[in-house]
Amino acid sequence: MVCVSCLALVVIAIFTFVCWRILFSDCDLILQLAEKFGKSSASLTGKVVWIIGASSGIGEFTAYELAKAGCHLVLSARRNEELDRVKSQCLVSGKVKDDDVFVLPLNMLKTDTHAAAVETVLQHFNKIDILFSNAGRHHRGMFESTSLDVDREMFELTVFGAMSLIKATLPSMKERKEGHIFVMSSVAGKQGAPAASPYTGAKHALQGYCDCLRMELIQYNIDVSVVCPGPVHSNLIQYSLTEKSSEFYGKAWTKDENMMTTPRCAELIGIMMANKLGEGWISPQPILALMYLNQYLPWPFQRVSTKIGMKALAKMRDGAAKEK
Ligand SMILES: NC(=O)c1ccc[n+]([C@@H]2O[C@H](COP(=O)([O-])OP(=O)(O)OC[C@H]3O[C@@H](n4cnc5c(N)ncnc54)[C@H](OP(=O)(O)O)[C@@H]3O)[C@@H](O)[C@H]2O)c1
């Protein structure tokens, strides 16, 4: 009887500890353990990491994090001058020399250029240890009034752009029997968000592709990781797609919104890379706790998220009405 009571107490204590860690942290439990007991990004010294979407936001700060670790970096995105700026900052704040940081402009939508881009990287560094497919754009608009062209544009960038570059990179990794495909998803890759259906749909598709790829690549010693951040301060909203094709949302996030900083997000991404974690959730509260609710108790999550979603929509409508 005493033993049963002791066991019950131990179970309650563990459960309380786990709930506390879920409610008062900015990343999932495995990532918390990796941060405390696992490898830091410093263990990645000398690795060749190709970051797509390195010209701003999370990609930019991941470049700084990895430059501090002494990684060899390839910085890609469309804006050459921004990539040069990021490279200069890597040289100032990181443990890298001019030759260790290679700027390679790349448009993820131009899939016919991807094979040549991979060749260029291999000529420069001989290998690609980690491909960080991070480029992306958000979307602001209602499902019904969003043009199908916008839905397509989102999938072309988020899904087909990423798949094309991963396919082009894999042969060299398979030949070496070593590599790491690291893909940027989002909380929206795990659960729905109002007024962002193409973004949410595309990130869900990316998750599905990566879950299959992870199983197919085990035999070649190639890891696949997917990172799912919640709101992080960056330029993402400003360059969001809207309901109409070829239009920018244009407004930036304000500093007082409940968001993670880009350096903290980059730090956790570095830990995920170093420990080769298959999936990582990174988010301020209460979004992180809601992700757990969605994963393990979907029915109550749907009730809570519908209410939160309706409130978010009402806030957006109020904001739009005030601007008129
Ligand atoms: N910020 C968040 O709250 C958040 C949360 C979850 C997930 N994410 C994901 O994180 C990733 C990075 O976003 P961010 O927040 O850092 O926003 P950001 O500051 O706007 O960065 C987006 C990056 O993607 C690049 N990019 C966009 N279109 C591209 C294209 N066609 N070809 C090549 N590069 C392209 C941009 O570079 P150029 O314009 O120079 O091409 C830029 O470097 C995205 O995939 C986003 O979905 C962000």
Side-chain angles (χ1 to χ4, degrees), residues 109-134:
L109 293 170
K110 295 191 175 159
T111 51
D112 56 340
T113 64
H114 291 182
V118 171
E119 265 319 300
T120 310
V121 175
L122 290 174
Q123 270 166 22
H124 192 89
F125 282 127
N126 273 322
K127 60 172 185 169
I128 300 163
D129 289 305
I130 304 175
L131 171 69
F132 182 19
S133 177
N134 162 72

mmCIF file with all atom_site columns, all heavy atoms in Angstrom, residues 109-134:
data_model
loop_
_atom_site.group_PDB
_atom_site.id
_atom_site.type_symbol
_atom_site.label_atom_id
_atom_site.label_alt_id
_atom_site.label_comp_id
_atom_site.label_asym_id
_atom_site.label_entity_id
_atom_site.label_seq_id
_atom_site.pdbx_PDB_ins_code
_atom_site.Cartn_x
_atom_site.Cartn_y
_atom_site.Cartn_z
_atom_site.occupancy
_atom_site.B_iso_or_equiv
_atom_site.pdbx_formal_charge
_atom_site.auth_seq_id
_atom_site.auth_comp_id
_atom_site.auth_asym_id
_atom_site.auth_atom_id
_atom_site.pdbx_PDB_model_num
ATOM 1   N N   . LEU A 1 109 ? 12.221 30.263 -56.269 1.00 0.00 ? 109 LEU A N   1
ATOM 2   C CA  . LEU A 1 109 ? 11.169 30.021 -57.264 1.00 0.00 ? 109 LEU A CA  1
ATOM 3   C C   . LEU A 1 109 ? 11.751 29.576 -58.615 1.00 0.00 ? 109 LEU A C   1
ATOM 4   O O   . LEU A 1 109 ? 11.050 28.987 -59.419 1.00 0.00 ? 109 LEU A O   1
ATOM 5   C CB  . LEU A 1 109 ? 10.330 31.287 -57.455 1.00 0.00 ? 109 LEU A CB  1
ATOM 6   C CG  . LEU A 1 109 ? 9.488  31.696 -56.241 1.00 0.00 ? 109 LEU A CG  1
ATOM 7   C CD1 . LEU A 1 109 ? 8.897  33.087 -56.437 1.00 0.00 ? 109 LEU A CD1 1
ATOM 8   C CD2 . LEU A 1 109 ? 8.382  30.677 -55.987 1.00 0.00 ? 109 LEU A CD2 1
ATOM 9   N N   . LYS A 1 110 ? 13.042 29.874 -58.844 1.00 0.00 ? 110 LYS A N   1
ATOM 10  C CA  . LYS A 1 110 ? 13.667 29.492 -60.126 1.00 0.00 ? 110 LYS A CA  1
ATOM 11  C C   . LYS A 1 110 ? 14.316 28.116 -59.960 1.00 0.00 ? 110 LYS A C   1
ATOM 12  O O   . LYS A 1 110 ? 15.543 27.985 -59.836 1.00 0.00 ? 110 LYS A O   1
ATOM 13  C CB  . LYS A 1 110 ? 14.689 30.550 -60.543 1.00 0.00 ? 110 LYS A CB  1
ATOM 14  C CG  . LYS A 1 110 ? 14.039 31.886 -60.845 1.00 0.00 ? 110 LYS A CG  1
ATOM 15  C CD  . LYS A 1 110 ? 14.989 32.831 -61.499 1.00 0.00 ? 110 LYS A CD  1
ATOM 16  C CE  . LYS A 1 110 ? 14.233 34.107 -61.878 1.00 0.00 ? 110 LYS A CE  1
ATOM 17  N NZ  . LYS A 1 110 ? 15.062 35.244 -62.074 1.00 0.00 ? 110 LYS A NZ  1
ATOM 18  N N   . THR A 1 111 ? 13.473 27.097 -59.981 1.00 0.00 ? 111 THR A N   1
ATOM 19  C CA  . THR A 1 111 ? 13.958 25.748 -59.655 1.00 0.00 ? 111 THR A CA  1
ATOM 20  C C   . THR A 1 111 ? 14.962 25.234 -60.690 1.00 0.00 ? 111 THR A C   1
ATOM 21  O O   . THR A 1 111 ? 15.772 24.365 -60.381 1.00 0.00 ? 111 THR A O   1
ATOM 22  C CB  . THR A 1 111 ? 12.779 24.765 -59.525 1.00 0.00 ? 111 THR A CB  1
ATOM 23  O OG1 . THR A 1 111 ? 11.968 24.895 -60.684 1.00 0.00 ? 111 THR A OG1 1
ATOM 24  C CG2 . THR A 1 111 ? 11.947 25.060 -58.297 1.00 0.00 ? 111 THR A CG2 1
ATOM 25  N N   . ASP A 1 112 ? 14.912 25.799 -61.931 1.00 0.00 ? 112 ASP A N   1
ATOM 26  C CA  . ASP A 1 112 ? 15.856 25.323 -62.950 1.00 0.00 ? 112 ASP A CA  1
ATOM 27  C C   . ASP A 1 112 ? 17.298 25.787 -62.671 1.00 0.00 ? 112 ASP A C   1
ATOM 28  O O   . ASP A 1 112 ? 18.230 25.344 -63.340 1.00 0.00 ? 112 ASP A O   1
ATOM 29  C CB  . ASP A 1 112 ? 15.398 25.771 -64.355 1.00 0.00 ? 112 ASP A CB  1
ATOM 30  C CG  . ASP A 1 112 ? 15.209 27.277 -64.456 1.00 0.00 ? 112 ASP A CG  1
ATOM 31  O OD1 . ASP A 1 112 ? 15.051 27.918 -63.388 1.00 0.00 ? 112 ASP A OD1 1
ATOM 32  O OD2 . ASP A 1 112 ? 15.242 27.818 -65.582 1.00 0.00 ? 112 ASP A OD2 1
ATOM 33  N N   . THR A 1 113 ? 17.479 26.657 -61.669 1.00 0.00 ? 113 THR A N   1
ATOM 34  C CA  . THR A 1 113 ? 18.838 27.116 -61.339 1.00 0.00 ? 113 THR A CA  1
ATOM 35  C C   . THR A 1 113 ? 19.423 26.343 -60.139 1.00 0.00 ? 113 THR A C   1
ATOM 36  O O   . THR A 1 113 ? 20.584 26.548 -59.783 1.00 0.00 ? 113 THR A O   1
ATOM 37  C CB  . THR A 1 113 ? 18.838 28.620 -60.970 1.00 0.00 ? 113 THR A CB  1
ATOM 38  O OG1 . THR A 1 113 ? 18.055 28.792 -59.764 1.00 0.00 ? 113 THR A OG1 1
ATOM 39  C CG2 . THR A 1 113 ? 18.252 29.490 -62.064 1.00 0.00 ? 113 THR A CG2 1
ATOM 40  N N   . HIS A 1 114 ? 18.630 25.497 -59.519 1.00 0.00 ? 114 HIS A N   1
ATOM 41  C CA  . HIS A 1 114 ? 19.057 24.886 -58.260 1.00 0.00 ? 114 HIS A CA  1
ATOM 42  C C   . HIS A 1 114 ? 20.238 23.914 -58.420 1.00 0.00 ? 114 HIS A C   1
ATOM 43  O O   . HIS A 1 114 ? 21.156 23.914 -57.602 1.00 0.00 ? 114 HIS A O   1
ATOM 44  C CB  . HIS A 1 114 ? 17.872 24.193 -57.573 1.00 0.00 ? 114 HIS A CB  1
ATOM 45  C CG  . HIS A 1 114 ? 16.852 25.173 -57.048 1.00 0.00 ? 114 HIS A CG  1
ATOM 46  N ND1 . HIS A 1 114 ? 15.724 24.805 -56.370 1.00 0.00 ? 114 HIS A ND1 1
ATOM 47  C CD2 . HIS A 1 114 ? 16.812 26.537 -57.102 1.00 0.00 ? 114 HIS A CD2 1
ATOM 48  C CE1 . HIS A 1 114 ? 15.021 25.887 -56.036 1.00 0.00 ? 114 HIS A CE1 1
ATOM 49  N NE2 . HIS A 1 114 ? 15.668 26.942 -56.483 1.00 0.00 ? 114 HIS A NE2 1
ATOM 50  N N   . ALA A 1 115 ? 20.209 23.106 -59.477 1.00 0.00 ? 115 ALA A N   1
ATOM 51  C CA  . ALA A 1 115 ? 21.300 22.129 -59.663 1.00 0.00 ? 115 ALA A CA  1
ATOM 52  C C   . ALA A 1 115 ? 22.629 22.870 -59.839 1.00 0.00 ? 115 ALA A C   1
ATOM 53  O O   . ALA A 1 115 ? 23.655 22.487 -59.249 1.00 0.00 ? 115 ALA A O   1
ATOM 54  C CB  . ALA A 1 115 ? 21.005 21.244 -60.865 1.00 0.00 ? 115 ALA A CB  1
ATOM 55  N N   . ALA A 1 116 ? 22.616 23.948 -60.624 1.00 0.00 ? 116 ALA A N   1
ATOM 56  C CA  . ALA A 1 116 ? 23.850 24.720 -60.851 1.00 0.00 ? 116 ALA A CA  1
ATOM 57  C C   . ALA A 1 116 ? 24.318 25.365 -59.542 1.00 0.00 ? 116 ALA A C   1
ATOM 58  O O   . ALA A 1 116 ? 25.532 25.437 -59.276 1.00 0.00 ? 116 ALA A O   1
ATOM 59  C CB  . ALA A 1 116 ? 23.602 25.789 -61.913 1.00 0.00 ? 116 ALA A CB  1
ATOM 60  N N   . ALA A 1 117 ? 23.367 25.814 -58.725 1.00 0.00 ? 117 ALA A N   1
ATOM 61  C CA  . ALA A 1 117 ? 23.733 26.430 -57.437 1.00 0.00 ? 117 ALA A CA  1
ATOM 62  C C   . ALA A 1 117 ? 24.430 25.408 -56.538 1.00 0.00 ? 117 ALA A C   1
ATOM 63  O O   . ALA A 1 117 ? 25.447 25.714 -55.900 1.00 0.00 ? 117 ALA A O   1
ATOM 64  C CB  . ALA A 1 117 ? 22.490 26.991 -56.754 1.00 0.00 ? 117 ALA A CB  1
ATOM 65  N N   . VAL A 1 118 ? 23.909 24.188 -56.521 1.00 0.00 ? 118 VAL A N   1
ATOM 66  C CA  . VAL A 1 118 ? 24.537 23.127 -55.710 1.00 0.00 ? 118 VAL A CA  1
ATOM 67  C C   . VAL A 1 118 ? 25.963 22.899 -56.197 1.00 0.00 ? 118 VAL A C   1
ATOM 68  O O   . VAL A 1 118 ? 26.908 22.820 -55.400 1.00 0.00 ? 118 VAL A O   1
ATOM 69  C CB  . VAL A 1 118 ? 23.708 21.816 -55.789 1.00 0.00 ? 118 VAL A CB  1
ATOM 70  C CG1 . VAL A 1 118 ? 24.456 20.654 -55.141 1.00 0.00 ? 118 VAL A CG1 1
ATOM 71  C CG2 . VAL A 1 118 ? 22.355 21.999 -55.117 1.00 0.00 ? 118 VAL A CG2 1
ATOM 72  N N   . GLU A 1 119 ? 26.147 22.827 -57.535 1.00 0.00 ? 119 GLU A N   1
ATOM 73  C CA  . GLU A 1 119 ? 27.492 22.627 -58.104 1.00 0.00 ? 119 GLU A CA  1
ATOM 74  C C   . GLU A 1 119 ? 28.442 23.733 -57.667 1.00 0.00 ? 119 GLU A C   1
ATOM 75  O O   . GLU A 1 119 ? 29.592 23.482 -57.291 1.00 0.00 ? 119 GLU A O   1
ATOM 76  C CB  . GLU A 1 119 ? 27.418 22.620 -59.650 1.00 0.00 ? 119 GLU A CB  1
ATOM 77  C CG  . GLU A 1 119 ? 27.321 21.252 -60.260 1.00 0.00 ? 119 GLU A CG  1
ATOM 78  C CD  . GLU A 1 119 ? 28.216 20.210 -59.604 1.00 0.00 ? 119 GLU A CD  1
ATOM 79  O OE1 . GLU A 1 119 ? 29.452 20.397 -59.596 1.00 0.00 ? 119 GLU A OE1 1
ATOM 80  O OE2 . GLU A 1 119 ? 27.700 19.215 -59.055 1.00 0.00 ? 119 GLU A OE2 1
ATOM 81  N N   . THR A 1 120 ? 27.948 24.984 -57.677 1.00 0.00 ? 120 THR A N   1
ATOM 82  C CA  . THR A 1 120 ? 28.782 26.133 -57.290 1.00 0.00 ? 120 THR A CA  1
ATOM 83  C C   . THR A 1 120 ? 29.230 25.988 -55.829 1.00 0.00 ? 120 THR A C   1
ATOM 84  O O   . THR A 1 120 ? 30.395 26.234 -55.505 1.00 0.00 ? 120 THR A O   1
ATOM 85  C CB  . THR A 1 120 ? 27.991 27.456 -57.465 1.00 0.00 ? 120 THR A CB  1
ATOM 86  O OG1 . THR A 1 120 ? 27.429 27.449 -58.768 1.00 0.00 ? 120 THR A OG1 1
ATOM 87  C CG2 . THR A 1 120 ? 28.861 28.670 -57.288 1.00 0.00 ? 120 THR A CG2 1
ATOM 88  N N   . VAL A 1 121 ? 28.299 25.589 -54.962 1.00 0.00 ? 121 VAL A N   1
ATOM 89  C CA  . VAL A 1 121 ? 28.648 25.413 -53.537 1.00 0.00 ? 121 VAL A CA  1
ATOM 90  C C   . VAL A 1 121 ? 29.685 24.298 -53.390 1.00 0.00 ? 121 VAL A C   1
ATOM 91  O O   . VAL A 1 121 ? 30.682 24.433 -52.667 1.00 0.00 ? 121 VAL A O   1
ATOM 92  C CB  . VAL A 1 121 ? 27.388 25.095 -52.692 1.00 0.00 ? 121 VAL A CB  1
ATOM 93  C CG1 . VAL A 1 121 ? 27.769 24.804 -51.245 1.00 0.00 ? 121 VAL A CG1 1
ATOM 94  C CG2 . VAL A 1 121 ? 26.400 26.247 -52.740 1.00 0.00 ? 121 VAL A CG2 1
ATOM 95  N N   . LEU A 1 122 ? 29.478 23.198 -54.121 1.00 0.00 ? 122 LEU A N   1
ATOM 96  C CA  . LEU A 1 122 ? 30.414 22.063 -54.006 1.00 0.00 ? 122 LEU A CA  1
ATOM 97  C C   . LEU A 1 122 ? 31.802 22.442 -54.517 1.00 0.00 ? 122 LEU A C   1
ATOM 98  O O   . LEU A 1 122 ? 32.823 22.020 -53.967 1.00 0.00 ? 122 LEU A O   1
ATOM 99  C CB  . LEU A 1 122 ? 29.866 20.850 -54.761 1.00 0.00 ? 122 LEU A CB  1
ATOM 100 C CG  . LEU A 1 122 ? 28.624 20.200 -54.120 1.00 0.00 ? 122 LEU A CG  1
ATOM 101 C CD1 . LEU A 1 122 ? 28.072 19.096 -55.008 1.00 0.00 ? 122 LEU A CD1 1
ATOM 102 C CD2 . LEU A 1 122 ? 28.933 19.659 -52.728 1.00 0.00 ? 122 LEU A CD2 1
ATOM 103 N N   . GLN A 1 123 ? 31.827 23.284 -55.580 1.00 0.00 ? 123 GLN A N   1
ATOM 104 C CA  . GLN A 1 123 ? 33.140 23.729 -56.085 1.00 0.00 ? 123 GLN A CA  1
ATOM 105 C C   . GLN A 1 123 ? 33.859 24.568 -55.042 1.00 0.00 ? 123 GLN A C   1
ATOM 106 O O   . GLN A 1 123 ? 35.071 24.499 -54.882 1.00 0.00 ? 123 GLN A O   1
ATOM 107 C CB  . GLN A 1 123 ? 32.957 24.541 -57.364 1.00 0.00 ? 123 GLN A CB  1
ATOM 108 C CG  . GLN A 1 123 ? 32.993 23.672 -58.614 1.00 0.00 ? 123 GLN A CG  1
ATOM 109 C CD  . GLN A 1 123 ? 32.488 24.399 -59.835 1.00 0.00 ? 123 GLN A CD  1
ATOM 110 O OE1 . GLN A 1 123 ? 32.490 25.626 -59.866 1.00 0.00 ? 123 GLN A OE1 1
ATOM 111 N NE2 . GLN A 1 123 ? 32.043 23.651 -60.822 1.00 0.00 ? 123 GLN A NE2 1
ATOM 112 N N   . HIS A 1 124 ? 33.098 25.374 -54.293 1.00 0.00 ? 124 HIS A N   1
ATOM 113 C CA  . HIS A 1 124 ? 33.707 26.266 -53.302 1.00 0.00 ? 124 HIS A CA  1
ATOM 114 C C   . HIS A 1 124 ? 34.152 25.529 -52.043 1.00 0.00 ? 124 HIS A C   1
ATOM 115 O O   . HIS A 1 124 ? 35.249 25.750 -51.539 1.00 0.00 ? 124 HIS A O   1
ATOM 116 C CB  . HIS A 1 124 ? 32.728 27.395 -52.947 1.00 0.00 ? 124 HIS A CB  1
ATOM 117 C CG  . HIS A 1 124 ? 33.355 28.504 -52.172 1.00 0.00 ? 124 HIS A CG  1
ATOM 118 N ND1 . HIS A 1 124 ? 33.954 29.590 -52.775 1.00 0.00 ? 124 HIS A ND1 1
ATOM 119 C CD2 . HIS A 1 124 ? 33.511 28.678 -50.843 1.00 0.00 ? 124 HIS A CD2 1
ATOM 120 C CE1 . HIS A 1 124 ? 34.453 30.384 -51.840 1.00 0.00 ? 124 HIS A CE1 1
ATOM 121 N NE2 . HIS A 1 124 ? 34.190 29.858 -50.656 1.00 0.00 ? 124 HIS A NE2 1
ATOM 122 N N   . PHE A 1 125 ? 33.254 24.663 -51.523 1.00 0.00 ? 125 PHE A N   1
ATOM 123 C CA  . PHE A 1 125 ? 33.537 24.041 -50.208 1.00 0.00 ? 125 PHE A CA  1
ATOM 124 C C   . PHE A 1 125 ? 33.720 22.513 -50.270 1.00 0.00 ? 125 PHE A C   1
ATOM 125 O O   . PHE A 1 125 ? 33.923 21.882 -49.235 1.00 0.00 ? 125 PHE A O   1
ATOM 126 C CB  . PHE A 1 125 ? 32.404 24.340 -49.224 1.00 0.00 ? 125 PHE A CB  1
ATOM 127 C CG  . PHE A 1 125 ? 32.439 25.720 -48.624 1.00 0.00 ? 125 PHE A CG  1
ATOM 128 C CD1 . PHE A 1 125 ? 31.325 26.555 -48.676 1.00 0.00 ? 125 PHE A CD1 1
ATOM 129 C CD2 . PHE A 1 125 ? 33.583 26.189 -47.983 1.00 0.00 ? 125 PHE A CD2 1
ATOM 130 C CE1 . PHE A 1 125 ? 31.345 27.826 -48.109 1.00 0.00 ? 125 PHE A CE1 1
ATOM 131 C CE2 . PHE A 1 125 ? 33.612 27.463 -47.411 1.00 0.00 ? 125 PHE A CE2 1
ATOM 132 C CZ  . PHE A 1 125 ? 32.496 28.271 -47.473 1.00 0.00 ? 125 PHE A CZ  1
ATOM 133 N N   . ASN A 1 126 ? 33.512 21.925 -51.451 1.00 0.00 ? 126 ASN A N   1
ATOM 134 C CA  . ASN A 1 126 ? 33.654 20.464 -51.619 1.00 0.00 ? 126 ASN A CA  1
ATOM 135 C C   . ASN A 1 126 ? 32.537 19.622 -51.034 1.00 0.00 ? 126 ASN A C   1
ATOM 136 O O   . ASN A 1 126 ? 32.419 18.434 -51.362 1.00 0.00 ? 126 ASN A O   1
ATOM 137 C CB  . ASN A 1 126 ? 34.966 19.946 -50.997 1.00 0.00 ? 126 ASN A CB  1
ATOM 138 C CG  . ASN A 1 126 ? 36.080 20.047 -51.998 1.00 0.00 ? 126 ASN A CG  1
ATOM 139 O OD1 . ASN A 1 126 ? 35.858 19.796 -53.179 1.00 0.00 ? 126 ASN A OD1 1
ATOM 140 N ND2 . ASN A 1 126 ? 37.249 20.458 -51.541 1.00 0.00 ? 126 ASN A ND2 1
ATOM 141 N N   . LYS A 1 127 ? 31.782 20.158 -50.110 1.00 0.00 ? 127 LYS A N   1
ATOM 142 C CA  . LYS A 1 127 ? 30.716 19.354 -49.476 1.00 0.00 ? 127 LYS A CA  1
ATOM 143 C C   . LYS A 1 127 ? 29.637 20.287 -48.914 1.00 0.00 ? 127 LYS A C   1
ATOM 144 O O   . LYS A 1 127 ? 29.872 21.493 -48.759 1.00 0.00 ? 127 LYS A O   1
ATOM 145 C CB  . LYS A 1 127 ? 31.287 18.508 -48.344 1.00 0.00 ? 127 LYS A CB  1
ATOM 146 C CG  . LYS A 1 127 ? 31.937 19.334 -47.251 1.00 0.00 ? 127 LYS A CG  1
ATOM 147 C CD  . LYS A 1 127 ? 32.329 18.499 -46.045 1.00 0.00 ? 127 LYS A CD  1
ATOM 148 C CE  . LYS A 1 127 ? 32.850 19.406 -44.943 1.00 0.00 ? 127 LYS A CE  1
ATOM 149 N NZ  . LYS A 1 127 ? 33.022 18.810 -43.670 1.00 0.00 ? 127 LYS A NZ  1
ATOM 150 N N   . ILE A 1 128 ? 28.482 19.711 -48.646 1.00 0.00 ? 128 ILE A N   1
ATOM 151 C CA  . ILE A 1 128 ? 27.425 20.442 -47.926 1.00 0.00 ? 128 ILE A CA  1
ATOM 152 C C   . ILE A 1 128 ? 27.057 19.563 -46.733 1.00 0.00 ? 128 ILE A C   1
ATOM 153 O O   . ILE A 1 128 ? 26.541 18.453 -46.921 1.00 0.00 ? 128 ILE A O   1
ATOM 154 C CB  . ILE A 1 128 ? 26.185 20.678 -48.816 1.00 0.00 ? 128 ILE A CB  1
ATOM 155 C CG1 . ILE A 1 128 ? 26.550 21.496 -50.060 1.00 0.00 ? 128 ILE A CG1 1
ATOM 156 C CG2 . ILE A 1 128 ? 25.068 21.385 -48.018 1.00 0.00 ? 128 ILE A CG2 1
ATOM 157 C CD1 . ILE A 1 128 ? 25.513 21.441 -51.168 1.00 0.00 ? 128 ILE A CD1 1
ATOM 158 N N   . ASP A 1 129 ? 27.355 20.022 -45.525 1.00 0.00 ? 129 ASP A N   1
ATOM 159 C CA  . ASP A 1 129 ? 27.007 19.225 -44.339 1.00 0.00 ? 129 ASP A CA  1
ATOM 160 C C   . ASP A 1 129 ? 25.551 19.444 -43.957 1.00 0.00 ? 129 ASP A C   1
ATOM 161 O O   . ASP A 1 129 ? 24.840 18.501 -43.628 1.00 0.00 ? 129 ASP A O   1
ATOM 162 C CB  . ASP A 1 129 ? 27.901 19.613 -43.155 1.00 0.00 ? 129 ASP A CB  1
ATOM 163 C CG  . ASP A 1 129 ? 29.331 19.131 -43.341 1.00 0.00 ? 129 ASP A CG  1
ATOM 164 O OD1 . ASP A 1 129 ? 29.507 17.918 -43.554 1.00 0.00 ? 129 ASP A OD1 1
ATOM 165 O OD2 . ASP A 1 129 ? 30.252 19.963 -43.310 1.00 0.00 ? 129 ASP A OD2 1
ATOM 166 N N   . ILE A 1 130 ? 25.135 20.717 -43.944 1.00 0.00 ? 130 ILE A N   1
ATOM 167 C CA  . ILE A 1 130 ? 23.755 21.030 -43.537 1.00 0.00 ? 130 ILE A CA  1
ATOM 168 C C   . ILE A 1 130 ? 23.135 21.981 -44.559 1.00 0.00 ? 130 ILE A C   1
ATOM 169 O O   . ILE A 1 130 ? 23.723 23.023 -44.878 1.00 0.00 ? 130 ILE A O   1
ATOM 170 C CB  . ILE A 1 130 ? 23.720 21.700 -42.137 1.00 0.00 ? 130 ILE A CB  1
ATOM 171 C CG1 . ILE A 1 130 ? 24.422 20.822 -41.094 1.00 0.00 ? 130 ILE A CG1 1
ATOM 172 C CG2 . ILE A 1 130 ? 22.277 21.975 -41.704 1.00 0.00 ? 130 ILE A CG2 1
ATOM 173 C CD1 . ILE A 1 130 ? 24.546 21.455 -39.699 1.00 0.00 ? 130 ILE A CD1 1
ATOM 174 N N   . LEU A 1 131 ? 21.975 21.596 -45.072 1.00 0.00 ? 131 LEU A N   1
ATOM 175 C CA  . LEU A 1 131 ? 21.197 22.516 -45.915 1.00 0.00 ? 131 LEU A CA  1
ATOM 176 C C   . LEU A 1 131 ? 20.063 23.054 -45.057 1.00 0.00 ? 131 LEU A C   1
ATOM 177 O O   . LEU A 1 131 ? 19.202 22.289 -44.606 1.00 0.00 ? 131 LEU A O   1
ATOM 178 C CB  . LEU A 1 131 ? 20.615 21.774 -47.129 1.00 0.00 ? 131 LEU A CB  1
ATOM 179 C CG  . LEU A 1 131 ? 19.604 22.586 -47.949 1.00 0.00 ? 131 LEU A CG  1
ATOM 180 C CD1 . LEU A 1 131 ? 20.290 23.745 -48.682 1.00 0.00 ? 131 LEU A CD1 1
ATOM 181 C CD2 . LEU A 1 131 ? 18.878 21.702 -48.965 1.00 0.00 ? 131 LEU A CD2 1
ATOM 182 N N   . PHE A 1 132 ? 20.061 24.357 -44.804 1.00 0.00 ? 132 PHE A N   1
ATOM 183 C CA  . PHE A 1 132 ? 18.971 24.967 -44.016 1.00 0.00 ? 132 PHE A CA  1
ATOM 184 C C   . PHE A 1 132 ? 18.015 25.656 -44.990 1.00 0.00 ? 132 PHE A C   1
ATOM 185 O O   . PHE A 1 132 ? 18.269 26.764 -45.450 1.00 0.00 ? 132 PHE A O   1
ATOM 186 C CB  . PHE A 1 132 ? 19.558 25.962 -43.003 1.00 0.00 ? 132 PHE A CB  1
ATOM 187 C CG  . PHE A 1 132 ? 18.522 26.620 -42.110 1.00 0.00 ? 132 PHE A CG  1
ATOM 188 C CD1 . PHE A 1 132 ? 17.248 26.084 -41.937 1.00 0.00 ? 132 PHE A CD1 1
ATOM 189 C CD2 . PHE A 1 132 ? 18.832 27.791 -41.417 1.00 0.00 ? 132 PHE A CD2 1
ATOM 190 C CE1 . PHE A 1 132 ? 16.296 26.694 -41.115 1.00 0.00 ? 132 PHE A CE1 1
ATOM 191 C CE2 . PHE A 1 132 ? 17.897 28.404 -40.592 1.00 0.00 ? 132 PHE A CE2 1
ATOM 192 C CZ  . PHE A 1 132 ? 16.628 27.854 -40.449 1.00 0.00 ? 132 PHE A CZ  1
ATOM 193 N N   . SER A 1 133 ? 16.928 24.974 -45.318 1.00 0.00 ? 133 SER A N   1
ATOM 194 C CA  . SER A 1 133 ? 15.934 25.517 -46.234 1.00 0.00 ? 133 SER A CA  1
ATOM 195 C C   . SER A 1 133 ? 14.966 26.385 -45.423 1.00 0.00 ? 133 SER A C   1
ATOM 196 O O   . SER A 1 133 ? 14.054 25.866 -44.776 1.00 0.00 ? 133 SER A O   1
ATOM 197 C CB  . SER A 1 133 ? 15.194 24.368 -46.920 1.00 0.00 ? 133 SER A CB  1
ATOM 198 O OG  . SER A 1 133 ? 14.193 24.891 -47.745 1.00 0.00 ? 133 SER A OG  1
ATOM 199 N N   . ASN A 1 134 ? 15.186 27.684 -45.455 1.00 0.00 ? 134 ASN A N   1
ATOM 200 C CA  . ASN A 1 134 ? 14.509 28.582 -44.510 1.00 0.00 ? 134 ASN A CA  1
ATOM 201 C C   . ASN A 1 134 ? 13.684 29.665 -45.201 1.00 0.00 ? 134 ASN A C   1
ATOM 202 O O   . ASN A 1 134 ? 12.826 30.283 -44.575 1.00 0.00 ? 134 ASN A O   1
ATOM 203 C CB  . ASN A 1 134 ? 15.605 29.201 -43.616 1.00 0.00 ? 134 ASN A CB  1
ATOM 204 C CG  . ASN A 1 134 ? 15.155 30.444 -42.902 1.00 0.00 ? 134 ASN A CG  1
ATOM 205 O OD1 . ASN A 1 134 ? 14.358 30.381 -41.978 1.00 0.00 ? 134 ASN A OD1 1
ATOM 206 N ND2 . ASN A 1 134 ? 15.656 31.598 -43.345 1.00 0.00 ? 134 ASN A ND2 1
#
